[in-house]
Amino acid sequence: MKKGVTIDSLVITGISSEGKGVGRVDGKVVFVKETVPGDVVKARVVGKKKKFLEAYAEELLKKSDERIEPFCEHFGLCGGCKWQHMGYDAQLKYKQEHVDENLRKLSGLDLPDIMPILGSEKTSFYRNKLEFTFSNFRWLTKDEIASGEEHVRTGLGFHIPKQFNKIVNINKCHLQSDPSNDIRLKVKAFADAHSVPYYDVKKQEGFLRNLIIRTASTGEVMVILQVHYRDQELIDLMMNYLKKEFPEITSLMYVVNEKGNDSYSDLEVELFAGKDHIMEQMGDLKFKIGPKSFYQTNSEQAHELYKVAAEFADLKGDELVYDLYTGTGTIANFVARSAKKVIGIEYVEDAIEDAKINSEINKITNTDFYAGDMKDLLGNEFINTHGKPDVIITDPPRAGMHPRVTQLLADLKSDRIVYVSCNSATQARDLEVLGQSYEVVKIQPVDMFPQTAHVENVVLLKLRK
């Protein structure tokens, strides 16, 4: 099987954790994007590796019963919702299977049955944050190219997957509720009408770079315009338009970014109008969200995730809790009223300041937060100073916990560990080490990201007796 070869009839029998359909030919695995288990396709090989092939479907010969019509006109281009062609029940089934397979294969532990995955009530318009990129040379669709017509090349939308300099212009995004679409469309129309220069990522010139929109369950809206250089006349032109056209924006800001990349965590975000934050509500708790704050992007489902974590922690009121990778202290504050004390640890100093503020806003007085690299800060000296935790809640990034942290938790032998993960493969790796001292008692997958292959998973571990 060489690159360019056509496979006349390939049966898709499974789906990978990255969301690609899986088939087999001549004993070799073939990954085919935008296919569903049960599909039969005519596929063209576009990549050959030692253990697998990559292909795309030239023709759909037989539709899977689990296949549905994607609802977004940009499906297959922007890469934001790669599972739109699959019914939601099927999405949940395969997410649960991926969690089960990763944990059982990679942890080497005896595990209980996995609880049924908690699906998201909203399967579209569920995100509270989106970041759109300006481009002076947007991606043209096949239909646009075939038309032979001249097209406006400015674009405001998302990156083509794995193409840092290719932007697909978005007409309607089904991920974030209004006024997100209206703001994006009108900002682009206004910029075009006033000939405001769009950024050229290759030449690194042009003015407009990014548009970040954050919405909250409280109805508050934050908009951040990222520009490449300080031209106050152009800044005021765009900002005044947004302020006048969208009075519902409660926090209007901009950032001047002269760097070669779009990250602005190390830059000053300047307030133009309104407040420098928005407020998010979760149950009876309020959270302050600044321009650089991390907050789970599916607000409603985050509440369900944290309820699972709190249930697994099973706090009685007399426990010392460590919340590792606490971020802005969302979980720490969520469980604080049920604990004697909660100590949160996080690498990002700004996030720790947000966590402290969120405790103050909610009149929570039994939390302490510390900033530092987890593997360096969390050690015997820290534990001797602050006390051995009865319960540990950990919610690390996709890479999982550092080996030194995992081993320390295994040696620490607290009563319970609640491990929240966005990557069940690295979670399984860490569980293997924690299995030295703990047994896995409960496993609960939670779908935070409908229309994608991503899934959160919560595991409860108890000290072996």
Side-chain angles (χ1 to χ4, degrees), residues 173-374:
C173 180
H174 296 260
L175 281 173
Q176 190 177 30
S177 61
D178 287 336
S180 179
N181 279 303
D182 199 25
I183 290 173
R184 185 191 65 257
L185 292 172
K186 287 184 176 177
V187 162
K188 182 182 185 302
F190 183 82
D192 287 344
H194 290 78
S195 301
V196 183
Y198 286 44
Y199 191 61
D200 185 318
V201 70
K202 283 188 173 181
K203 296 179 180 178
Q204 295 197 6
E205 62 184 28
F207 181 69
L208 297 170
R209 291 190 68 155
N210 290 85
L211 181 71
I212 300 103
I213 302 174
R214 302 187 80 151
T215 54
S217 60
T218 56
E220 296 185 341
V221 179
M222 174 185 290
V223 173
I224 306 167
L225 183 69
Q226 186 176 153
V227 299
H228 184 223
Y229 52 85
R230 186 174 295 281
D231 181 325
Q232 203 59 48
E233 187 176 342
L234 283 180
I235 290 171
D236 289 346
L237 176 72
M238 298 300 299
M239 292 286 102
N240 280 315
Y241 171 73
L242 278 162
K243 181 181 178 182
K244 181 180 178 182
E245 186 69 22
F246 296 99
E248 60 265 48
I249 295 175
T250 55
S251 176
L252 182 57
M253 292 182 275
Y254 65 93
V255 56
V256 178
N257 181 2
E258 298 178 347
K259 300 186 303 177
N261 61 66
D262 292 336
S263 66
Y264 61 95
S265 58
D266 57 338
L267 301 175
E268 180 186 1
V269 181
E270 301 181 51
L271 180 65
F272 186 83
K275 304 179 296 182
D276 65 354
H277 64 277
I278 55 176
M279 296 301 299
E280 184 59 84
Q281 184 92 27
M282 182 181 287
D284 61 349
L285 295 176
K286 293 180 179 179
F287 295 96
K288 180 183 177 183
I289 311 296
K292 301 177 185 178
S293 299
F294 170 79
Y295 192 78
Q296 285 281 5
T297 52
N298 185 340
S299 301
E300 293 180 18
Q301 196 68 348
H303 193 189
E304 300 305 314
L305 178 72
Y306 296 157
K307 284 194 281 189
V308 171
E311 178 190 335
F312 281 13
D314 192 26
L315 301 174
K316 307 300 183 187
D318 58 351
E319 299 95 345
L320 173 61
V321 179
Y322 278 15
D323 181 29
L324 310 185
Y325 311 93
T326 191
T328 55
T330 318
I331 294 180
N333 284 301
F334 191 81
V335 302
R337 291 169 180 166
S338 300
K340 182 179 180 181
K341 189 178 186 66
V342 181
I343 293 175
I345 305 174
E346 166 62 40
Y347 177 73
V348 181
E349 290 188 13
D350 286 346
I352 285 297
E353 293 308 309
D354 285 341
K356 293 175 181 177
I357 291 169
N358 287 328
S359 285
E360 291 175 13
I361 289 170
N362 292 286
K363 296 181 171 56
I364 294 171
T365 57
N366 62 333
T367 56
D368 283 333
F369 296 99
Y370 300 90
D373 192 318
M374 194 69 63

Side-chain angles (χ1 to χ4, degrees), residues 96-134:
Q96 174 124 1
E97 287 181 1
H98 288 155
V99 170
D100 190 275
E101 183 178 353
N102 281 337
L103 294 191
R104 295 190 191 283
K105 277 189 175 182
L106 302 177
S107 74
L109 301 176
D110 290 328
L111 300 174
D113 289 340
I114 295 180
M115 299 161 74
I117 186 170
L118 290 180
S120 176
E121 185 174 332
K122 288 182 179 177
T123 57
S124 60
F125 302 111
Y126 60 82
R127 286 185 66 99
N128 56 39
K129 179 185 178 184
L130 284 179
E131 184 169 333
F132 303 101
T133 301
F134 292 90

